[in-house]
Amino acid sequence: MASEQKGSGSGKGINSKLVLRELNKGDEKPQVEITLIDRQGKEFETVQIAEDGAFGLPLGAIEKAHRIRVGPTETASGEAPSSLFLNYRVADFVARLEQGVLDIGRSVWQEWLFRYRCVSGSVRRCRPSPWWYTQLAEAIRYPLSQSARGFKLNRLVRASTQPIAVASLPGTLELGELIAWPIRCTPICLGTIEVYRRICCCEPWVFTDHRLERLIRELERLLERIPEVPDFPDPPGPGPDPAPFQRAILHEGALDERALHVGEDLHALRTLPVERIAEYVNARPYLLCRRYECSEPVKVAEGTIGADGRFNICWHEFPVLLRRGCHEEFAYKVKQRFGPFTITIYNGVNAGHWYDADDNPMLRSYHPLAVACRDNGGEGDAFVYLDEIGDTDSSLLNTPDQTSATSVASPGMNGGVAFPSGGPDGNGVHDRNWGGTLKLAIMFSESMRDTGAKYYRVSVTEADSNGNPVGSPEYVTSGLSWNKAVAVPGGVDVVSESLGPVSTSAPDEPQDSLYLIPFDGDLGSNADWEADQYHAYLNTRDLTKQWSDPDADNGQPAKRHLVTIEVFNAAGERLRPNGTPPSGLPGAEVEAAFTYRRKIQDTGPTNMVPYGALSHLFWWDNRDVVASIEDLRMNGVASDEECQFMNGTESSTFGIGYRAYHPWEMFQKNHVISWRRGLSGGSDTMHNSTNNVGAPPGAEGASPTHTFGHMLNHPTPSTPPRTKCAFTVFLTTYNKRTDGDDLSFSWDHDNAAFALDVAPVVCAPCNGNDEEDDD
């Protein structure tokens, strides 16, 4: 078989054969070509090698050539590193051919073969509440080890409003717990994935490594970019703007790997024994492999995200030759296109998220514009259940079992609250009252379409002490729209679609306040509902509704309410599960093959509800807590004077008269009384209690006391002992109320200033004579 030649060469030439040594039967053979290069470095002639290895070089081309290169064919050489090619001087090449065939060793030609590389993983969009970013910043700046916690509390207590910040958020959470917080993360199913590779040659650290000082400086500069959580407002108001914290912690939607751990890393590098620092750094790739020890990231492949949120991207390349001690790492960028704009919603390259090729990572995007797709399940049983209340799973609602379509069993003392066994943050706070706007997510299985289900309705009814409805239901009537992601060439369009409310004419009577059930199957193949959307927004503070109860008396509970979900067909007939009794609600009803269910756990089986509607008991209470310092007390004697200078002995006592309460005591998380001495001086906690104190119409209560000597010289006695100083006393009361999204604790606080003096009282000047004047 004659060799195929390209180019303009003519006349006699050299015919020879290329032999791939150690080529075994069944081995893949590379496609090889010979390229002739002139003195200007320009390729002017290329000769393909035949299947049997034969080739010929025109004599005119040989005379013109300055170098001859042997290697992979032109279709792949653009991707092959130059180190893979064999380069010859012309005279040497011709001399070798005159001696026989052109032999290529296996270790060389094997590197001319393409190989396929693949990476896989999944992509999720996560939507934490704003408080999460500020609490994460606090956890980064002040890691919650015992020593760091004490430092944090001392720092916070220096400003009059700062003690509020200590307990206003679930401050017992450590960094790892916050990162793993049960945030709702849903699959991203539209977008492109870019794959980047870098080569790192990271020298392991050794004892007293010279890089320590440089690393500490870099981490200090990084920590300076993490904002301090500002003082909370007085009176209480919205929390800090999360945007500055997001900018410091996120890189285009991805959590910054180094920023997340900068506080604990600095603490470790400054406090660990010298012999353990190398071990600490070597165990953390983001500290060990610095940018200057790695090559610049290079994009090697691109692919799309599957409909289930997973990706599998493969590409062919020549083997990457790595010197000893070096390794390759992969990072990803996720992009979504909206009309003419392309937005990076996850940038793992800049955020420092590098993986091995076989890691199968889950990429989490926190970008506010990221579009995720709802997974409503496939074919299967038809069912309906209340899924989420904000970010709180409905299994954490303490609702009694239903006894009819619109009633529940008699509730216990904590029936209808959130977190009867403690919250998911591990802080031990249980029995939290609901309040604000409750966002209800309802699960309508996709098979509900086959039952004829088309609409749903949500109503609220006051509940009596036995769990029965009182009066007529009030319906949720606010306008509701959902967003759907529509795939278009090159991107995605986000389209808003109204779900209601709408009205229909049932055979018996019209039905109103109905909303369309957003089934996936109604959208067609090129669209998906966005994830994390809600079916009802229940404003429990709405004064136009009877469900609002802002005027309950002190010492009396706010009303509990029943929230009921109904399902209707296109004609407006209420659907009730087969075999269940009539609901007793107005309008026509028909049976259908589905079940109402109750979530009893986050994952796993659900309980069937054998009634014609689905009802849950909620106990919301929007009343605020109170913190009020009524007077200051020396040795139990109260004074409400504006300016107070207390003169006594070291054993004299200080306390306050105060009120700290929630109108219903169960919903007070706790109240704390503490004091601070002077400017950046010592501090101490006098009292921490969950009980109401001084709730009207009762009298104010008296706090525990501290002695003057303790307050003047705590925690470290001065030399000589202090005899007088100015003080501030703080009172803060915390509310358990939550809307299911914000799991922080609202609060009220008060403070007062005074001075203590244990110096002896000196009489007025007596003309230098202590004796009594006889005159």
Side-chain angles (χ1 to χ4, degrees):
M1 179 178 177
S3 62
E4 179 186 354
Q5 296 187 10
K6 298 191 299 183
S8 57
S10 60
K12 296 181 179 181
I14 299 176
N15 294 303
S16 188
K17 190 172 185 179
L18 181 144
V19 178
L20 303 178
R21 294 300 179 187
E22 301 179 67
L23 179 68
N24 301 318
K25 184 178 180 180
D27 281 349
E28 180 185 359
K29 293 195 303 184
Q31 292 182 323
V32 184
E33 65 185 14
I34 298 175
T35 303
L36 286 79
I37 303 170
D38 64 19
R39 290 186 175 277
Q40 285 72 43
K42 183 178 179 180
E43 301 173 8
F44 67 90
E45 188 86 23
T46 301
V47 176
Q48 302 290 332
I49 305 299
E51 182 66 23
D52 62 356
F55 66 89
L57 296 179
L59 185 60
I62 295 174
E63 292 173 348
K64 181 181 177 182
H66 177 64
R67 292 286 187 268
I68 296 178
R69 186 180 69 194
V70 181
T73 59
E74 182 181 10
T75 57
S77 60
E79 299 182 22
S82 59
S83 59
L84 293 184
F85 292 90
L86 296 174
N87 290 277
Y88 297 90
R89 295 182 178 86
V90 175
D92 294 340
F93 187 80
V94 171
R96 182 166 181 175
L97 295 184
E98 290 175 348
Q99 295 175 3
V101 299
L102 179 62
D103 296 293
I104 307 295
R106 184 180 181 90
S107 62
V108 174
W109 64 257
Q110 198 171 33
E111 299 298 321
W112 294 349
L113 291 169
F114 284 125
R115 66 170 177 168
Y116 274 90
R117 304 293 305 278
C118 295
V119 292
S120 60
S122 58
V123 191
R124 296 287 185 272
R125 181 192 70 184
C126 300
R127 287 283 176 83
S129 298
W131 69 264
W132 185 81
Y133 292 102
T134 55
Q135 183 68 0
L136 190 62
E138 279 289 273
I140 291 170
R141 291 190 65 89
Y142 303 98
L144 293 179
S145 63
Q146 289 302 316
S147 58
R149 185 195 301 271
F151 172 76
K152 176 183 177 182
L153 295 180
N154 287 336
R155 178 184 66 83
L156 291 178
V157 82
R158 293 175 186 171
S160 62
T161 58
Q162 282 285 27
I164 296 110
V166 176
S168 63
L169 297 175
T172 57
L173 289 178
E174 297 189 18
L175 179 64
E177 294 174 307
L178 271 168
I179 296 173
W181 182 264
I183 297 166
R184 296 182 69 185
C185 294
T186 46
I188 291 176
C189 63
L190 292 169
T192 58
I193 305 278
E194 295 180 351
V195 184
Y196 288 79
R197 177 173 55 205
R198 70 177 184 180
I199 306 299
C200 292
C201 303
C202 312
E203 295 292 335
W205 279 42
V206 294
F207 185 70
T208 62
D209 198 285
H210 67 281
R211 291 169 286 185
L212 177 60
E213 184 177 346
R214 178 176 180 178
L215 175 58
I216 288 179
R217 286 200 306 269
E218 290 181 5
L219 294 179
E220 287 173 340
R221 289 194 293 269
L222 181 59
L223 185 63
E224 290 173 358
R225 300 206 299 265
I226 308 295
E228 288 270 13
V229 175
D231 294 355
F232 283 76
D234 181 17
D241 178 9
F245 304 95
Q246 292 171 332
R247 287 193 293 269
I249 298 170
L250 296 179
H251 278 294
E252 292 182 292
L255 289 174
D256 189 315
E257 180 78 5
R258 291 182 67 197
L260 286 177
H261 303 284
V262 63
E264 61 187 13
D265 289 339
L266 271 174
H267 179 73
L269 296 177
R270 289 167 172 165
T271 59
L272 280 175
V274 174
E275 63 271 15
R276 291 193 55 198
I277 289 179
E279 175 189 354
Y280 183 90
V281 173
N282 291 336
R284 290 161 176 79
Y286 63 90
L287 291 180
L288 176 64
C289 293
R290 320 294 290 287
R291 288 185 181 274
Y292 53 81
E293 295 176 302
C294 299
S295 65
E296 286 297 314
V298 176
K299 180 180 174 181
V300 294
E302 182 175 316
T304 58
I305 307 171
D308 58 357
R310 295 186 297 173
F311 63 89
N312 182 67
I313 302 172
C314 296
W315 68 98
H316 62 260
E317 67 176 14
F318 288 97
V320 177
L321 302 178
L322 301 177
R323 67 177 176 86
R324 188 175 181 180
C326 299
H327 65 278
E328 61 179 358
E329 299 177 340
F330 294 90
Y332 307 91
K333 292 182 182 180
V334 183
K335 297 183 177 182
Q336 288 184 323
R337 185 173 178 180
F338 303 89
F341 304 104
T342 298
I343 298 175
T344 300
I345 61 170
Y346 171 90
N347 190 335
V349 177
N350 288 346
H353 293 283
W354 292 93
Y355 302 95
D356 292 335
D358 56 356
D359 274 349
N360 196 35
M362 178 184 289
L363 313 179
R364 291 181 171 88
S365 170
Y366 297 84
H367 199 290
L369 299 180
V371 174
C373 300
R374 184 184 68 153
D375 181 8
N376 204 37
E379 294 300 320
D381 293 339
F383 55 83
V384 179
Y385 60 76
L386 178 62
D387 191 13
E388 304 276 349
I389 308 156
D391 280 339
T392 298
D393 193 85
S394 68
S395 63
L396 299 174
L397 165 66
N398 187 27
T399 180
D401 292 337
Q402 278 187 237
T403 55
S404 75
T406 58
S407 64
V408 297
S410 296
M413 63 175 295
N414 62 346
V417 301
F419 314 127
S421 301
D425 52 10
N427 60 24
V429 178
H430 55 86
D431 296 339
R432 298 189 65 171
N433 50 307
W434 300 97
T437 296
L438 307 183
K439 301 183 294 186
L440 307 182
I442 306 170
M443 171 58 75
F444 297 97
S445 72
E446 199 65 19
S447 295
M448 285 295 293
R449 296 174 70 233
D450 300 331
T451 70
K454 186 174 181 65
Y455 302 105
Y456 68 95
R457 182 165 66 187
V458 178
S459 63
V460 179
T461 314
E462 181 185 335
D464 64 18
S465 59
N466 295 317
N468 297 315
V470 176
S472 300
E474 281 193 294
Y475 298 115
V476 174
T477 57
S478 301
L480 179 66
S481 295
W482 270 32
N483 288 337
K484 59 184 179 181
V486 181
V488 296
V492 58
D493 285 341
V494 178
V495 180
S496 178
E497 184 166 315
S498 174
L499 300 185
V502 299
S503 299
T504 65
S505 297
D508 288 354
E509 60 184 270
Q511 295 286 8
D512 56 15
S513 304
L514 305 180
Y515 295 83
L516 288 165
I517 300 174
F519 289 118
D520 291 341
D522 292 338
L523 293 181
S525 60
N526 70 328
D528 294 277
W529 291 112
E530 272 200 60
D532 304 327
Q533 301 190 88
Y534 296 92
H535 296 80
Y537 292 79
L538 184 57
N539 181 3
T540 65
R541 289 193 176 98
D542 188 347
L543 297 180
T544 67
K545 302 288 188 180
Q546 66 179 15
W547 66 55
S548 178
D549 189 21
D551 300 320
D553 295 331
N554 280 322
Q556 296 298 316
K559 297 173 182 177
R560 302 185 220 207
H561 294 83
L562 292 156
V563 176
T564 299
I565 299 167
E566 305 165 74
V567 178
F568 299 82
N569 62 20
E573 298 170 308
R574 183 180 298 102
L575 301 183
R576 71 171 189 267
N578 286 338
T580 60
S583 68
L585 295 167
E589 287 186 354
V590 294
E591 291 190 0
F594 77 102
T595 57
Y596 284 116
R597 309 197 71 84
R598 177 78 60 78
K599 289 189 76 173
I600 58 173
Q601 54 198 341
D602 186 20
T603 59
T606 56
N607 283 351
M608 188 179 74
V609 176
Y611 298 106
L614 183 63
S615 294
H616 294 75
L617 184 71
F618 283 79
W619 192 357
W620 54 74
D621 189 336
N622 286 295
R623 293 176 293 179
D624 293 320
V625 291
V626 171
S628 176
I629 298 176
E630 303 292 316
D631 55 59
L632 306 183
R633 303 185 176 191
M634 173 177 164
N635 295 328
V637 179
S639 172
D640 59 2
E641 293 293 328
E642 178 182 356
C643 300
Q644 299 200 32
F645 305 89
M646 299 182 181
N647 185 273
T649 66
E650 288 194 356
S651 60
S652 298
T653 61
F654 169 80
I656 64 172
Y658 73 103
R659 300 182 188 273
Y661 63 91
H662 186 285
W664 186 247
E665 187 176 62
M666 178 190 294
F667 298 148
Q668 181 201 156
K669 174 182 175 286
N670 68 310
H671 66 269
V672 180
I673 303 172
S674 61
W675 52 260
R676 171 178 57 83
R677 182 179 60 245
L679 177 64
S680 302
S683 61
D684 201 1
T685 298
M686 300 176 67
H687 191 48
N688 188 336
S689 173
T690 60
N691 297 325
N692 273 357
V693 174
E700 67 270 14
S703 73
T705 61
H706 281 180
T707 66
F708 286 15
H710 172 78
M711 296 174 69
L712 285 165
N713 288 284
H714 174 83
T716 304
S718 67
T719 304
R722 298 181 189 86
T723 59
K724 56 186 174 182
C725 197
F727 288 82
T728 306
V729 62
F730 308 98
L731 168 64
T732 309
T733 308
Y734 300 100
N735 199 332
K736 290 183 181 179
R737 184 175 61 228
T738 180
D739 60 3
D741 270 342
D742 188 351
L743 299 185
S744 63
F745 303 102
S746 59
W747 45 269
D748 187 25
H749 85 107
D750 197 3
N751 58 69
F754 59 98
L756 299 184
D757 190 346
V758 296
V761 177
V762 179
C763 70
C766 302
N767 298 321
N769 186 355
D770 292 337
E771 296 182 0
E772 189 176 323
D773 192 341
D774 292 337
D775 294 334

